[in-house]
Each structure stands twice: as C-alpha cells, then as structure tokens.
Amino acid sequence: MTSTSQDSLARLAAVIESRKPAQGGNPDSSYVARLLHKGPDAFLKKIGEEATEVVMAAKDVDHGASADKLVYEVADLWFHSMIALAHYGLAPADVIAELERREGTSGIEEKALRKAQARAQEEGAPQ
C-alpha cells in the first residue's frame, strides 16, 4: 500500500473519529455520528449488509457486470468497518499492521496452527 493510500485511510479515520458523540458528532447531521450514537448493533448490521452486497457484486462481475460495482461495494464495506474500528478504539493502521504481520505466511499453515492452538486450549481447559 502506498503512503498516499495510507494517508487517505488515516484522513477518513480522522473524520470518523471526529464524528464520535464524545467528540461532538451530531447524529442529526452526520450519518457516521448517527451510526455511532445508535451503537454497535447499527453499524454491525450495516457491515453485514455491505458484506452481502460485496458478494452479490462479485457474482455479478462473474456474469459480465462491470468490476466498478464491486469496487464501490468494497468501499462501502471498508467504510463501515472503519466505523467499527473507531468505536473499538482501533484504526486502519492496526489492520495494516496485522496484514503486514501475516505477509509471507501461508494462509493454510496459519489456519492449521490456529486450529492446533484451539484444540490444545480445549484439551487443557478445566472440565
């Protein structure tokens, strides 16, 4: 990711942060403030809706639709995910750091490791 892309995400995150009710965000005039004011159920529902729209757009691309629709829907998903991150005191940089941590790691190996760790925890947990 270029620094310009990171800057764009950081700027958007700052705007979202400024819309928090504790920062004076007004739910009557700001969509973000309204979602944050309503609480997790509101923005988590939107994330679910947007994720479904991403899937539908991808299926449409598979059948000849423009990929622009997929980009549009992913942008909506990212945006609403950023609202969730802000609510929980996190930022896009946290997600980027996690992706960088995973860089060069086999997804198959990582999933197998997580399963082994979960199994070990279950076996070691008090009955």
Side-chain angles (χ1 to χ4, degrees):
M1 181 172 292
T2 67
S3 73
T4 304
S5 298
Q6 289 181 21
D7 293 346
S8 295
L9 289 174
R11 282 193 307 275
L12 179 55
V15 169
I16 292 169
E17 193 68 28
S18 75
R19 301 296 198 267
K20 285 182 171 181
Q23 302 295 329
N26 183 349
D28 295 328
S29 62
S30 167
Y31 173 73
V32 172
R34 187 175 313 136
L35 283 177
L36 290 168
H37 178 75
K38 288 181 178 180
D41 285 349
F43 58 77
L44 295 175
K45 179 180 176 186
K46 284 300 297 179
I47 290 170
E49 290 170 7
E50 298 302 341
T52 300
E53 290 174 11
V54 166
V55 171
M56 293 180 344
K59 291 291 192 178
D60 289 346
V61 172
D62 284 342
H63 293 95
S66 169
D68 292 346
K69 178 70 172 166
L70 178 57
V71 170
Y72 180 90
E73 296 301 344
V74 170
D76 281 351
L77 178 59
W78 285 17
F79 174 76
H80 288 89
S81 296
M82 288 177 66
I83 293 171
L85 288 171
H87 174 80
Y88 294 108
L90 300 166
D94 297 306
V95 177
I96 292 167
E98 175 60 16
L99 291 171
E100 289 172 346
R101 183 192 68 78
R102 295 179 187 186
E103 190 174 351
T105 302
S106 163
I108 294 170
E109 290 173 9
E110 184 179 10
K111 185 174 181 180
L113 178 61
R114 283 194 317 263
K115 281 185 178 181
Q117 289 171 336
R119 206 171 314 121
Q121 266 188 329
E122 287 173 7
E123 291 171 359
Q127 302 290 336

